[in-house]
Amino acid sequence: KPYKQADINELKEELVNLKTQLQEGLDQCKEEAQAFFDSNDFLQELSDPDFDDSELMTFVIMRQATAKGLAMWFESGETEAEYVVNLLNDSDLQRTFLQAGGANGGQYIR
């Protein structure tokens, strides 16, 4: 069925209106998110470039790996135990480990 020019114009106008509504909604979300961020001391602290996140990374690794998983690594041998100790004592290694997916699918520390 061929469309009439009036129908096409109406659809174009509706599209413009929808785009405007979407942009207004996005702008409102940005404003609300910024207001929330500005009023939340914890988020402010986390975003500070000087924030030391090493304890947070250690927590995440311990949570992902589980006590049982880490214990199994320690029992595997001296080299494996050394891997775990080195990881938990090196925040740069922890960051790399977490950026690579962390303790994923039982593949710890490798």
Side-chain angles (χ1 to χ4, degrees), residues 34-47:
Q34 187 65 50
F36 178 75
F37 178 79
D38 290 344
S39 69
N40 190 304
D41 292 339
F42 180 67
L43 290 177
Q44 295 271 339
E45 185 179 338
L46 285 177
S47 67

Side-chain angles (χ1 to χ4, degrees), residues 44-53 95:
Q44 295 271 339
E45 185 179 338
L46 285 177
S47 67
D48 186 336
D50 296 326
F51 178 72
D52 179 9
D53 59 356
R95 186 171 285 103

Side-chain angles (χ1 to χ4, degrees), residues 2-64:
Y3 290 99
K4 296 178 186 175
Q5 187 61 39
D7 293 337
I8 293 172
N9 291 340
E10 186 179 325
L11 289 172
K12 284 181 180 180
E13 186 176 325
E14 187 175 337
L15 181 60
V16 168
N17 288 336
L18 288 172
K19 285 181 178 180
T20 301
Q21 290 175 7
L22 178 60
Q23 187 59 53
E24 289 171 354
L26 287 171
D27 291 343
Q28 182 179 354
C29 285
K30 286 179 186 178
E31 289 173 16
E32 290 178 13
Q34 187 65 50
F36 178 75
F37 178 79
D38 290 344
S39 69
N40 190 304
D41 292 339
F42 180 67
L43 290 177
Q44 295 271 339
E45 185 179 338
L46 285 177
S47 67
D48 186 336
D50 296 326
F51 178 72
D52 179 9
D53 59 356
S54 58
E55 289 181 10
L56 182 59
M57 289 187 299
T58 301
F59 169 78
V60 170
I61 289 170
M62 297 292 287
R63 180 81 173 164
Q64 284 184 345

